[in-house]
Short mmCIF file of all heavy atoms in Angstrom, two decimals:
data_model
loop_
_atom_site.label_atom_id
_atom_site.label_comp_id
_atom_site.label_asym_id
_atom_site.label_seq_id
_atom_site.Cartn_x
_atom_site.Cartn_y
_atom_site.Cartn_z
N MET A 1 0.82 -1.19 0.01
CA MET A 1 -0.01 0.02 -0.01
C MET A 1 0.87 1.24 0.01
O MET A 1 0.60 2.18 -0.73
CB MET A 1 -0.94 -0.04 1.21
CG MET A 1 -1.82 1.14 1.34
SD MET A 1 -3.17 0.97 0.21
CE MET A 1 -4.22 2.23 0.74
N THR A 2 1.89 1.29 0.82
CA THR A 2 2.80 2.45 0.91
C THR A 2 3.51 2.66 -0.42
O THR A 2 3.67 3.79 -0.85
CB THR A 2 3.78 2.26 2.06
OG1 THR A 2 3.08 2.04 3.20
CG2 THR A 2 4.65 3.55 2.19
N GLY A 3 3.96 1.59 -1.06
CA GLY A 3 4.66 1.70 -2.33
C GLY A 3 3.76 2.32 -3.43
O GLY A 3 4.23 3.11 -4.22
N ARG A 4 2.52 1.93 -3.40
CA ARG A 4 1.57 2.45 -4.41
C ARG A 4 1.31 3.91 -4.18
O ARG A 4 1.30 4.71 -5.17
CB ARG A 4 0.25 1.66 -4.39
CG ARG A 4 -0.70 2.13 -5.42
CD ARG A 4 -1.91 1.25 -5.58
NE ARG A 4 -2.51 0.88 -4.32
CZ ARG A 4 -3.61 0.18 -4.18
NH1 ARG A 4 -4.26 -0.22 -5.29
NH2 ARG A 4 -4.14 -0.12 -3.02
N ILE A 5 1.20 4.36 -2.95
CA ILE A 5 1.00 5.75 -2.60
C ILE A 5 2.25 6.53 -3.06
O ILE A 5 2.15 7.63 -3.59
CB ILE A 5 0.71 5.89 -1.10
CG1 ILE A 5 -0.65 5.32 -0.81
CG2 ILE A 5 0.77 7.41 -0.73
CD1 ILE A 5 -1.00 5.24 0.64
N ALA A 6 3.43 6.02 -2.79
CA ALA A 6 4.68 6.70 -3.14
C ALA A 6 4.81 6.86 -4.65
O ALA A 6 5.20 7.91 -5.16
CB ALA A 6 5.86 5.94 -2.55
N ARG A 7 4.46 5.77 -5.40
CA ARG A 7 4.51 5.84 -6.88
C ARG A 7 3.57 6.90 -7.41
O ARG A 7 3.91 7.68 -8.30
CB ARG A 7 4.22 4.50 -7.47
CG ARG A 7 5.37 3.53 -7.42
CD ARG A 7 5.16 2.30 -8.30
NE ARG A 7 3.90 1.63 -7.98
CZ ARG A 7 3.80 0.57 -7.15
NH1 ARG A 7 4.88 0.12 -6.54
NH2 ARG A 7 2.67 0.04 -6.91
N ARG A 8 2.37 6.89 -6.89
CA ARG A 8 1.38 7.92 -7.33
C ARG A 8 1.80 9.28 -7.00
O ARG A 8 1.69 10.24 -7.78
CB ARG A 8 0.00 7.60 -6.76
CG ARG A 8 -0.68 6.44 -7.42
CD ARG A 8 -2.11 6.24 -6.92
NE ARG A 8 -2.67 5.08 -7.60
CZ ARG A 8 -3.85 4.61 -7.29
NH1 ARG A 8 -4.60 5.23 -6.37
NH2 ARG A 8 -4.34 3.54 -7.92
N GLY A 9 2.34 9.46 -5.77
CA GLY A 9 2.86 10.80 -5.39
C GLY A 9 3.99 11.26 -6.27
O GLY A 9 4.02 12.41 -6.64
N ALA A 10 4.87 10.34 -6.61
CA ALA A 10 6.00 10.69 -7.47
C ALA A 10 5.48 11.01 -8.88
O ALA A 10 5.95 12.01 -9.52
CB ALA A 10 6.99 9.54 -7.54
N ALA A 11 4.54 10.30 -9.38
CA ALA A 11 3.98 10.53 -10.71
C ALA A 11 3.27 11.90 -10.73
O ALA A 11 3.41 12.66 -11.67
CB ALA A 11 3.02 9.43 -11.11
N ILE A 12 2.51 12.20 -9.71
CA ILE A 12 1.78 13.50 -9.69
C ILE A 12 2.80 14.62 -9.52
O ILE A 12 2.70 15.65 -10.21
CB ILE A 12 0.77 13.50 -8.49
CG1 ILE A 12 -0.36 12.59 -8.88
CG2 ILE A 12 0.27 14.90 -8.22
CD1 ILE A 12 -1.34 12.29 -7.73
N GLY A 13 3.80 14.48 -8.70
CA GLY A 13 4.82 15.51 -8.50
C GLY A 13 5.63 15.76 -9.76
O GLY A 13 5.81 16.95 -10.17
N LEU A 14 6.08 14.69 -10.44
CA LEU A 14 6.81 14.86 -11.64
C LEU A 14 5.96 15.40 -12.82
O LEU A 14 6.41 16.19 -13.62
CB LEU A 14 7.46 13.55 -12.08
CG LEU A 14 8.60 13.10 -11.14
CD1 LEU A 14 9.05 11.67 -11.49
CD2 LEU A 14 9.75 14.07 -11.16
N GLY A 15 4.70 15.02 -12.80
CA GLY A 15 3.80 15.55 -13.81
C GLY A 15 3.54 17.01 -13.61
O GLY A 15 3.47 17.81 -14.58
N ALA A 16 3.39 17.47 -12.36
CA ALA A 16 3.22 18.88 -12.05
C ALA A 16 4.46 19.67 -12.44
O ALA A 16 4.38 20.77 -13.02
CB ALA A 16 2.92 19.04 -10.58
N LEU A 17 5.66 19.09 -12.19
CA LEU A 17 6.89 19.74 -12.58
C LEU A 17 6.98 19.94 -14.09
O LEU A 17 7.33 20.98 -14.61
CB LEU A 17 8.11 18.96 -12.06
CG LEU A 17 9.48 19.46 -12.45
CD1 LEU A 17 9.73 20.77 -11.74
CD2 LEU A 17 10.55 18.40 -12.10
N TRP A 18 6.58 18.90 -14.84
CA TRP A 18 6.60 18.94 -16.32
C TRP A 18 5.62 20.03 -16.77
O TRP A 18 5.97 20.83 -17.67
CB TRP A 18 6.25 17.59 -16.90
CG TRP A 18 6.37 17.59 -18.38
CD1 TRP A 18 7.52 17.44 -19.09
CD2 TRP A 18 5.29 17.80 -19.32
NE1 TRP A 18 7.20 17.52 -20.45
CE2 TRP A 18 5.89 17.74 -20.60
CE3 TRP A 18 3.93 17.98 -19.20
CZ2 TRP A 18 5.13 17.84 -21.77
CZ3 TRP A 18 3.20 18.11 -20.37
CH2 TRP A 18 3.80 18.02 -21.63
N TRP A 19 4.42 20.04 -16.25
CA TRP A 19 3.42 21.05 -16.69
C TRP A 19 3.88 22.46 -16.31
O TRP A 19 3.64 23.41 -17.07
CB TRP A 19 2.04 20.77 -16.11
CG TRP A 19 1.28 19.77 -16.88
CD1 TRP A 19 1.03 18.46 -16.50
CD2 TRP A 19 0.77 19.92 -18.18
NE1 TRP A 19 0.39 17.82 -17.50
CE2 TRP A 19 0.21 18.69 -18.57
CE3 TRP A 19 0.73 21.00 -19.10
CZ2 TRP A 19 -0.41 18.49 -19.81
CZ3 TRP A 19 0.10 20.75 -20.32
CH2 TRP A 19 -0.45 19.54 -20.64
N TRP A 20 4.57 22.62 -15.17
CA TRP A 20 5.09 23.94 -14.80
C TRP A 20 6.10 24.39 -15.81
O TRP A 20 6.08 25.55 -16.24
CB TRP A 20 5.71 23.81 -13.42
CG TRP A 20 6.55 25.05 -13.07
CD1 TRP A 20 6.10 26.24 -12.56
CD2 TRP A 20 7.96 25.18 -13.18
NE1 TRP A 20 7.13 27.10 -12.39
CE2 TRP A 20 8.34 26.47 -12.76
CE3 TRP A 20 8.93 24.30 -13.63
CZ2 TRP A 20 9.61 26.90 -12.74
CZ3 TRP A 20 10.26 24.76 -13.60
CH2 TRP A 20 10.57 26.03 -13.18
N ALA A 21 7.01 23.51 -16.24
CA ALA A 21 8.07 23.82 -17.23
C ALA A 21 7.39 24.22 -18.55
O ALA A 21 7.79 25.18 -19.16
CB ALA A 21 9.02 22.68 -17.41
N VAL A 22 6.42 23.47 -19.02
CA VAL A 22 5.81 23.77 -20.27
C VAL A 22 5.01 25.11 -20.20
O VAL A 22 5.09 25.88 -21.12
CB VAL A 22 4.83 22.60 -20.66
CG1 VAL A 22 3.96 22.97 -21.86
CG2 VAL A 22 5.62 21.35 -20.99
N ALA A 23 4.32 25.35 -19.09
CA ALA A 23 3.62 26.58 -18.93
C ALA A 23 4.57 27.80 -18.96
O ALA A 23 4.29 28.82 -19.60
CB ALA A 23 2.79 26.58 -17.66
N ARG A 24 5.74 27.65 -18.29
CA ARG A 24 6.70 28.74 -18.28
C ARG A 24 7.26 28.94 -19.71
O ARG A 24 7.50 30.07 -20.06
CB ARG A 24 7.86 28.42 -17.33
CG ARG A 24 7.42 28.75 -15.91
CD ARG A 24 8.53 29.12 -14.94
NE ARG A 24 9.78 29.67 -15.44
CZ ARG A 24 10.12 30.94 -15.24
NH1 ARG A 24 9.34 31.77 -14.66
NH2 ARG A 24 11.33 31.38 -15.63
N LEU A 25 7.48 27.87 -20.45
CA LEU A 25 7.96 28.06 -21.81
C LEU A 25 6.96 28.80 -22.69
O LEU A 25 7.30 29.59 -23.54
CB LEU A 25 8.28 26.67 -22.45
CG LEU A 25 9.60 26.06 -22.03
CD1 LEU A 25 9.71 24.63 -22.56
CD2 LEU A 25 10.80 26.87 -22.50
N VAL A 26 5.68 28.51 -22.47
CA VAL A 26 4.65 29.10 -23.32
C VAL A 26 4.37 30.58 -22.92
O VAL A 26 4.26 31.44 -23.77
CB VAL A 26 3.36 28.30 -23.23
CG1 VAL A 26 2.19 28.96 -23.94
CG2 VAL A 26 3.57 26.90 -23.85
N TRP A 27 4.25 30.84 -21.61
CA TRP A 27 3.75 32.13 -21.18
C TRP A 27 4.78 33.08 -20.56
O TRP A 27 4.50 34.24 -20.36
CB TRP A 27 2.63 31.97 -20.17
CG TRP A 27 1.40 31.44 -20.83
CD1 TRP A 27 0.69 31.98 -21.87
CD2 TRP A 27 0.69 30.25 -20.51
NE1 TRP A 27 -0.33 31.22 -22.21
CE2 TRP A 27 -0.39 30.11 -21.36
CE3 TRP A 27 0.89 29.26 -19.55
CZ2 TRP A 27 -1.30 29.08 -21.33
CZ3 TRP A 27 -0.02 28.21 -19.50
CH2 TRP A 27 -1.10 28.12 -20.41
N SER A 28 5.97 32.59 -20.28
CA SER A 28 6.95 33.46 -19.62
C SER A 28 8.05 33.87 -20.61
O SER A 28 8.71 33.01 -21.21
CB SER A 28 7.52 32.71 -18.41
OG SER A 28 8.51 33.52 -17.81
N PRO A 29 8.30 35.13 -20.72
CA PRO A 29 9.40 35.54 -21.66
C PRO A 29 10.78 35.24 -21.14
O PRO A 29 11.74 35.24 -21.89
CB PRO A 29 9.14 37.06 -21.80
CG PRO A 29 8.39 37.46 -20.57
CD PRO A 29 7.61 36.26 -20.18
N ASP A 30 10.91 35.07 -19.84
CA ASP A 30 12.28 34.80 -19.30
C ASP A 30 12.49 33.28 -19.01
O ASP A 30 13.43 32.93 -18.32
CB ASP A 30 12.47 35.58 -18.03
CG ASP A 30 11.51 35.20 -16.90
OD1 ASP A 30 10.48 34.64 -17.25
OD2 ASP A 30 11.79 35.53 -15.74
N ALA A 31 11.74 32.39 -19.61
CA ALA A 31 11.95 30.97 -19.48
C ALA A 31 13.25 30.64 -20.19
O ALA A 31 13.60 31.22 -21.21
CB ALA A 31 10.81 30.19 -20.06
N GLY A 32 13.94 29.63 -19.67
CA GLY A 32 15.25 29.37 -20.23
C GLY A 32 15.51 27.91 -20.49
O GLY A 32 14.60 27.10 -20.67
N VAL A 33 16.78 27.57 -20.34
CA VAL A 33 17.27 26.20 -20.66
C VAL A 33 16.69 25.18 -19.69
O VAL A 33 16.37 24.05 -20.10
CB VAL A 33 18.77 26.20 -20.69
CG1 VAL A 33 19.31 24.78 -20.91
CG2 VAL A 33 19.32 27.14 -21.73
N LEU A 34 16.62 25.51 -18.39
CA LEU A 34 16.07 24.57 -17.45
C LEU A 34 14.69 24.12 -17.77
O LEU A 34 14.40 22.91 -17.75
CB LEU A 34 16.13 25.19 -16.04
CG LEU A 34 15.58 24.31 -14.89
CD1 LEU A 34 16.42 23.09 -14.78
CD2 LEU A 34 15.50 25.08 -13.63
N GLU A 35 13.79 25.07 -18.05
CA GLU A 35 12.45 24.72 -18.40
C GLU A 35 12.37 23.87 -19.65
O GLU A 35 11.63 22.87 -19.78
CB GLU A 35 11.56 25.93 -18.56
CG GLU A 35 11.30 26.66 -17.21
CD GLU A 35 12.37 27.64 -16.84
OE1 GLU A 35 13.42 27.73 -17.55
OE2 GLU A 35 12.17 28.39 -15.89
N GLY A 36 13.18 24.25 -20.65
CA GLY A 36 13.24 23.47 -21.90
C GLY A 36 13.71 22.05 -21.67
O GLY A 36 13.19 21.13 -22.23
N ALA A 37 14.76 21.90 -20.84
CA ALA A 37 15.26 20.57 -20.54
C ALA A 37 14.27 19.71 -19.85
O ALA A 37 14.13 18.50 -20.15
CB ALA A 37 16.56 20.70 -19.72
N VAL A 38 13.58 20.26 -18.89
CA VAL A 38 12.55 19.55 -18.17
C VAL A 38 11.38 19.10 -19.10
O VAL A 38 10.95 17.96 -19.13
CB VAL A 38 11.96 20.33 -16.97
CG1 VAL A 38 10.77 19.63 -16.35
CG2 VAL A 38 13.03 20.53 -15.93
N ALA A 39 10.97 20.03 -19.94
CA ALA A 39 9.87 19.71 -20.88
C ALA A 39 10.35 18.65 -21.86
O ALA A 39 9.57 17.71 -22.15
CB ALA A 39 9.46 20.98 -21.60
N VAL A 40 11.50 18.81 -22.47
CA VAL A 40 11.95 17.82 -23.45
C VAL A 40 12.20 16.48 -22.78
O VAL A 40 11.89 15.39 -23.34
CB VAL A 40 13.18 18.33 -24.21
CG1 VAL A 40 13.82 17.26 -25.00
CG2 VAL A 40 12.81 19.49 -25.07
N GLY A 41 12.80 16.49 -21.60
CA GLY A 41 13.07 15.23 -20.88
C GLY A 41 11.81 14.50 -20.57
O GLY A 41 11.73 13.25 -20.68
N GLY A 42 10.78 15.21 -20.08
CA GLY A 42 9.49 14.55 -19.83
C GLY A 42 8.84 14.00 -21.01
O GLY A 42 8.28 12.88 -21.00
N TRP A 43 8.91 14.72 -22.13
CA TRP A 43 8.37 14.19 -23.38
C TRP A 43 9.16 12.92 -23.84
O TRP A 43 8.57 11.96 -24.25
CB TRP A 43 8.43 15.24 -24.49
CG TRP A 43 7.84 14.74 -25.76
CD1 TRP A 43 6.52 14.65 -26.11
CD2 TRP A 43 8.58 14.16 -26.85
NE1 TRP A 43 6.43 14.08 -27.33
CE2 TRP A 43 7.66 13.76 -27.83
CE3 TRP A 43 9.95 13.93 -27.06
CZ2 TRP A 43 8.06 13.18 -29.01
CZ3 TRP A 43 10.29 13.39 -28.26
CH2 TRP A 43 9.38 13.00 -29.21
N GLY A 44 10.48 12.99 -23.71
CA GLY A 44 11.25 11.86 -24.08
C GLY A 44 10.95 10.59 -23.24
O GLY A 44 10.97 9.52 -23.77
N LEU A 45 10.68 10.79 -22.00
CA LEU A 45 10.32 9.65 -21.19
C LEU A 45 9.00 9.07 -21.58
O LEU A 45 8.74 7.87 -21.45
CB LEU A 45 10.25 10.06 -19.68
CG LEU A 45 11.59 10.29 -19.03
CD1 LEU A 45 11.38 10.81 -17.58
CD2 LEU A 45 12.43 9.00 -18.99
N SER A 46 8.09 9.90 -22.11
CA SER A 46 6.78 9.38 -22.49
C SER A 46 6.80 8.52 -23.72
O SER A 46 5.89 7.79 -23.99
CB SER A 46 5.85 10.58 -22.71
OG SER A 46 6.16 11.24 -23.90
N VAL A 47 7.91 8.57 -24.52
CA VAL A 47 7.93 7.71 -25.70
C VAL A 47 8.79 6.47 -25.48
O VAL A 47 8.99 5.71 -26.42
CB VAL A 47 8.48 8.54 -26.93
CG1 VAL A 47 7.59 9.64 -27.29
CG2 VAL A 47 9.88 9.04 -26.68
N LEU A 48 9.23 6.23 -24.28
CA LEU A 48 10.00 5.02 -23.99
C LEU A 48 9.03 3.80 -24.05
O LEU A 48 7.88 3.90 -23.59
CB LEU A 48 10.58 5.08 -22.61
CG LEU A 48 11.85 5.96 -22.42
CD1 LEU A 48 12.23 5.99 -20.99
CD2 LEU A 48 12.99 5.46 -23.27
N PRO A 49 9.48 2.70 -24.51
CA PRO A 49 8.67 1.49 -24.58
C PRO A 49 8.60 0.81 -23.18
O PRO A 49 9.28 -0.16 -22.96
CB PRO A 49 9.36 0.60 -25.62
CG PRO A 49 10.78 1.03 -25.50
CD PRO A 49 10.82 2.51 -25.19
N VAL A 50 7.82 1.31 -22.31
CA VAL A 50 7.81 0.80 -20.92
C VAL A 50 6.95 -0.43 -20.78
O VAL A 50 6.92 -1.04 -19.73
CB VAL A 50 7.32 1.89 -19.91
CG1 VAL A 50 8.36 3.03 -19.81
CG2 VAL A 50 5.95 2.42 -20.28
N HIS A 51 6.23 -0.79 -21.80
CA HIS A 51 5.34 -1.97 -21.71
C HIS A 51 5.97 -3.15 -22.45
O HIS A 51 5.20 -4.05 -22.89
CB HIS A 51 3.96 -1.61 -22.32
CG HIS A 51 3.27 -0.53 -21.56
ND1 HIS A 51 2.84 -0.71 -20.29
CD2 HIS A 51 3.05 0.75 -21.86
CE1 HIS A 51 2.30 0.46 -19.86
NE2 HIS A 51 2.41 1.33 -20.82
N CYS A 52 7.23 -3.18 -22.61
CA CYS A 52 7.91 -4.34 -23.23
C CYS A 52 8.10 -5.44 -22.24
O CYS A 52 8.19 -5.23 -21.04
CB CYS A 52 9.28 -3.92 -23.77
SG CYS A 52 9.16 -2.77 -25.13
N THR A 53 8.11 -6.68 -22.73
CA THR A 53 8.38 -7.85 -21.89
C THR A 53 9.61 -8.56 -22.39
O THR A 53 9.91 -8.47 -23.63
CB THR A 53 7.17 -8.83 -21.93
OG1 THR A 53 6.97 -9.24 -23.22
CG2 THR A 53 5.93 -8.17 -21.35
N PRO A 54 10.29 -9.28 -21.56
CA PRO A 54 11.45 -10.05 -22.04
C PRO A 54 11.01 -11.05 -23.10
O PRO A 54 9.90 -11.58 -23.08
CB PRO A 54 11.93 -10.75 -20.78
CG PRO A 54 11.38 -10.02 -19.65
CD PRO A 54 10.08 -9.40 -20.13
N LYS A 55 11.85 -11.34 -24.02
CA LYS A 55 11.56 -12.23 -25.17
C LYS A 55 11.10 -13.60 -24.63
O LYS A 55 10.28 -14.24 -25.22
CB LYS A 55 12.72 -12.34 -26.11
CG LYS A 55 12.46 -13.10 -27.35
CD LYS A 55 13.62 -13.07 -28.28
CE LYS A 55 13.31 -13.83 -29.57
NZ LYS A 55 14.39 -13.82 -30.45
N SER A 56 11.76 -14.04 -23.55
CA SER A 56 11.43 -15.38 -23.00
C SER A 56 9.99 -15.46 -22.50
O SER A 56 9.39 -16.52 -22.47
CB SER A 56 12.38 -15.74 -21.90
OG SER A 56 12.28 -14.81 -20.80
N ARG A 57 9.38 -14.30 -22.12
CA ARG A 57 8.01 -14.34 -21.62
C ARG A 57 6.99 -13.82 -22.60
O ARG A 57 5.81 -13.81 -22.33
CB ARG A 57 7.95 -13.46 -20.36
CG ARG A 57 8.72 -14.09 -19.19
CD ARG A 57 8.68 -13.23 -17.97
NE ARG A 57 7.37 -12.66 -17.70
CZ ARG A 57 7.20 -11.57 -17.00
NH1 ARG A 57 8.24 -10.90 -16.52
NH2 ARG A 57 6.00 -11.09 -16.80
N ALA A 58 7.41 -13.30 -23.77
CA ALA A 58 6.51 -12.76 -24.70
C ALA A 58 5.71 -13.84 -25.44
O ALA A 58 6.27 -14.85 -25.80
CB ALA A 58 7.24 -11.92 -25.75
N GLU A 59 4.42 -13.56 -25.58
CA GLU A 59 3.57 -14.54 -26.29
C GLU A 59 3.86 -14.54 -27.77
O GLU A 59 3.92 -13.45 -28.41
CB GLU A 59 2.13 -14.18 -26.05
CG GLU A 59 1.16 -15.21 -26.61
CD GLU A 59 -0.29 -14.81 -26.24
OE1 GLU A 59 -0.51 -14.28 -25.19
OE2 GLU A 59 -1.16 -15.07 -27.12
N GLY A 60 4.13 -15.68 -28.37
CA GLY A 60 4.39 -15.78 -29.79
C GLY A 60 5.81 -15.47 -30.18
O GLY A 60 6.13 -15.33 -31.41
N ALA A 61 6.74 -15.30 -29.25
CA ALA A 61 8.13 -15.02 -29.59
C ALA A 61 8.80 -16.24 -30.18
O ALA A 61 8.51 -17.34 -29.76
CB ALA A 61 8.84 -14.51 -28.33
N LEU A 62 9.69 -15.99 -31.09
CA LEU A 62 10.40 -17.11 -31.70
C LEU A 62 11.58 -17.50 -30.83
O LEU A 62 12.18 -16.64 -30.18
CB LEU A 62 10.89 -16.71 -33.11
CG LEU A 62 9.80 -16.32 -34.06
CD1 LEU A 62 10.41 -15.84 -35.38
CD2 LEU A 62 8.89 -17.46 -34.33
N ALA A 63 11.92 -18.78 -30.81
CA ALA A 63 13.03 -19.26 -29.99
C ALA A 63 14.37 -18.72 -30.48
O ALA A 63 14.52 -18.47 -31.73
CB ALA A 63 13.02 -20.80 -30.03
N ALA A 64 15.31 -18.55 -29.61
CA ALA A 64 16.63 -18.13 -29.97
C ALA A 64 17.31 -19.20 -30.85
O ALA A 64 17.16 -20.39 -30.64
CB ALA A 64 17.45 -17.86 -28.75
N GLY A 65 18.02 -18.78 -31.87
CA GLY A 65 18.73 -19.68 -32.79
C GLY A 65 17.88 -20.20 -33.90
O GLY A 65 18.31 -21.07 -34.64
N ARG A 66 16.61 -19.77 -34.02
CA ARG A 66 15.75 -20.31 -35.06
C ARG A 66 16.28 -20.05 -36.45
O ARG A 66 16.33 -20.95 -37.32
CB ARG A 66 14.38 -19.68 -34.92
CG ARG A 66 13.39 -20.17 -35.96
CD ARG A 66 12.05 -19.45 -35.76
NE ARG A 66 11.08 -19.90 -36.73
CZ ARG A 66 10.87 -19.29 -37.90
NH1 ARG A 66 11.60 -18.26 -38.24
NH2 ARG A 66 9.96 -19.73 -38.77
N TRP A 67 16.78 -18.83 -36.72
CA TRP A 67 17.30 -18.49 -38.01
C TRP A 67 18.60 -19.26 -38.31
O TRP A 67 18.81 -19.71 -39.45
CB TRP A 67 17.51 -16.97 -38.15
CG TRP A 67 16.22 -16.27 -38.17
CD1 TRP A 67 15.70 -15.53 -37.19
CD2 TRP A 67 15.26 -16.25 -39.23
NE1 TRP A 67 14.46 -15.01 -37.55
CE2 TRP A 67 14.20 -15.48 -38.82
CE3 TRP A 67 15.25 -16.83 -40.46
CZ2 TRP A 67 13.10 -15.25 -39.58
CZ3 TRP A 67 14.12 -16.65 -41.30
CH2 TRP A 67 13.06 -15.84 -40.84
N ARG A 68 19.45 -19.39 -37.34
CA ARG A 68 20.70 -20.17 -37.52
C ARG A 68 20.39 -21.61 -37.92
O ARG A 68 21.01 -22.13 -38.84
CB ARG A 68 21.51 -20.13 -36.22
CG ARG A 68 22.89 -20.68 -36.41
CD ARG A 68 23.75 -20.63 -35.12
NE ARG A 68 23.42 -19.53 -34.24
CZ ARG A 68 22.95 -19.69 -32.98
NH1 ARG A 68 22.70 -20.88 -32.54
NH2 ARG A 68 22.68 -18.65 -32.23
N ARG A 69 19.44 -22.24 -37.26
CA ARG A 69 19.09 -23.62 -37.64
C ARG A 69 18.51 -23.71 -39.01
O ARG A 69 18.78 -24.60 -39.74
CB ARG A 69 18.12 -24.17 -36.58
CG ARG A 69 18.75 -24.49 -35.25
CD ARG A 69 17.80 -25.26 -34.33
NE ARG A 69 16.52 -24.64 -34.07
CZ ARG A 69 16.29 -23.76 -33.12
NH1 ARG A 69 17.24 -23.39 -32.32
NH2 ARG A 69 15.08 -23.26 -33.00
N ALA A 70 17.70 -22.70 -39.40
CA ALA A 70 17.13 -22.70 -40.72
C ALA A 70 18.22 -22.58 -41.79
O ALA A 70 18.18 -23.26 -42.84
CB ALA A 70 16.13 -21.60 -40.90
N TRP A 71 19.21 -21.68 -41.57
CA TRP A 71 20.30 -21.53 -42.55
C TRP A 71 21.18 -22.76 -42.63
O TRP A 71 21.54 -23.19 -43.72
CB TRP A 71 21.20 -20.36 -42.15
CG TRP A 71 20.67 -19.05 -42.59
CD1 TRP A 71 20.00 -18.14 -41.79
CD2 TRP A 71 20.64 -18.50 -43.91
NE1 TRP A 71 19.59 -17.08 -42.51
CE2 TRP A 71 20.01 -17.28 -43.85
CE3 TRP A 71 21.16 -18.99 -45.12
CZ2 TRP A 71 19.81 -16.46 -44.96
CZ3 TRP A 71 20.97 -18.14 -46.26
CH2 TRP A 71 20.31 -16.93 -46.15
N GLN A 72 21.41 -23.44 -41.50
CA GLN A 72 22.18 -24.69 -41.46
C GLN A 72 21.47 -25.76 -42.19
O GLN A 72 22.06 -26.55 -42.94
CB GLN A 72 22.56 -25.07 -40.07
CG GLN A 72 23.60 -24.20 -39.39
CD GLN A 72 23.86 -24.54 -37.97
OE1 GLN A 72 23.10 -25.26 -37.37
NE2 GLN A 72 24.91 -23.95 -37.41
N ALA A 73 20.19 -25.87 -42.00
CA ALA A 73 19.38 -26.94 -42.66
C ALA A 73 19.40 -26.69 -44.19
O ALA A 73 19.49 -27.64 -44.98
CB ALA A 73 17.97 -26.97 -42.14
N GLY A 74 19.29 -25.44 -44.61
CA GLY A 74 19.32 -25.11 -46.04
C GLY A 74 20.67 -25.40 -46.63
O GLY A 74 20.79 -25.83 -47.77
N ARG A 75 21.74 -25.13 -45.91
CA ARG A 75 23.09 -25.32 -46.41
C ARG A 75 23.40 -26.79 -46.50
O ARG A 75 24.11 -27.26 -47.37
CB ARG A 75 24.08 -24.61 -45.50
CG ARG A 75 25.45 -24.54 -46.07
CD ARG A 75 26.40 -23.79 -45.17
NE ARG A 75 26.51 -24.48 -43.87
CZ ARG A 75 26.76 -23.89 -42.76
NH1 ARG A 75 26.91 -22.55 -42.70
NH2 ARG A 75 26.81 -24.57 -41.60
N ASP A 76 22.90 -27.57 -45.57
CA ASP A 76 23.18 -29.02 -45.52
C ASP A 76 22.33 -29.78 -46.57
O ASP A 76 22.52 -30.98 -46.79
CB ASP A 76 22.89 -29.60 -44.14
CG ASP A 76 23.87 -29.05 -43.13
OD1 ASP A 76 24.93 -28.56 -43.52
OD2 ASP A 76 23.53 -29.11 -41.92
N GLY A 77 21.36 -29.14 -47.15
CA GLY A 77 20.58 -29.78 -48.22
C GLY A 77 19.39 -30.54 -47.68
O GLY A 77 18.76 -31.35 -48.37
N ALA A 78 19.00 -30.25 -46.47
CA ALA A 78 17.88 -30.97 -45.85
C ALA A 78 16.57 -30.34 -46.24
O ALA A 78 16.40 -29.27 -46.69
CB ALA A 78 17.99 -30.97 -44.36
#
């Protein structure tokens, strides 16, 4: 329970920080590099593939070495 509250608090806090940086970039004439870095960094994190699973657990994933075995079978004339 405590971990979930901490994660939500961190997400809300970091989201508020990102919105603050974007708002300063849009409406404040003295916004600078710090606000730009926060805004770009937050956007960059949003495009990360965070919903990926390891190949060993992915449904429908091909086994390791499948292509190597196919090439060897073709080369051997099988």
Side-chain angles (χ1 to χ4, degrees):
M1 180 77 170
T2 304
R4 183 169 47 175
I5 292 171
R7 282 192 306 265
R8 285 186 182 175
I12 289 170
L14 291 172
L17 177 68
W18 185 82
W19 278 108
W20 168 82
V22 171
R24 281 209 22 112
L25 282 172
V26 172
W27 289 303
S28 179
D30 63 341
V33 176
L34 177 64
E35 289 87 353
V38 170
V40 169
W43 179 82
L45 286 175
S46 71
V47 296
L48 284 175
V50 295
H51 299 291
C52 294
T53 59
K55 188 175 180 179
S56 61
R57 291 179 42 204
E59 185 176 325
L62 301 175
R66 178 180 181 269
W67 290 106
R68 189 179 331 115
R69 287 192 303 273
W71 278 103
Q72 288 174 348
R75 191 177 61 210
D76 294 339

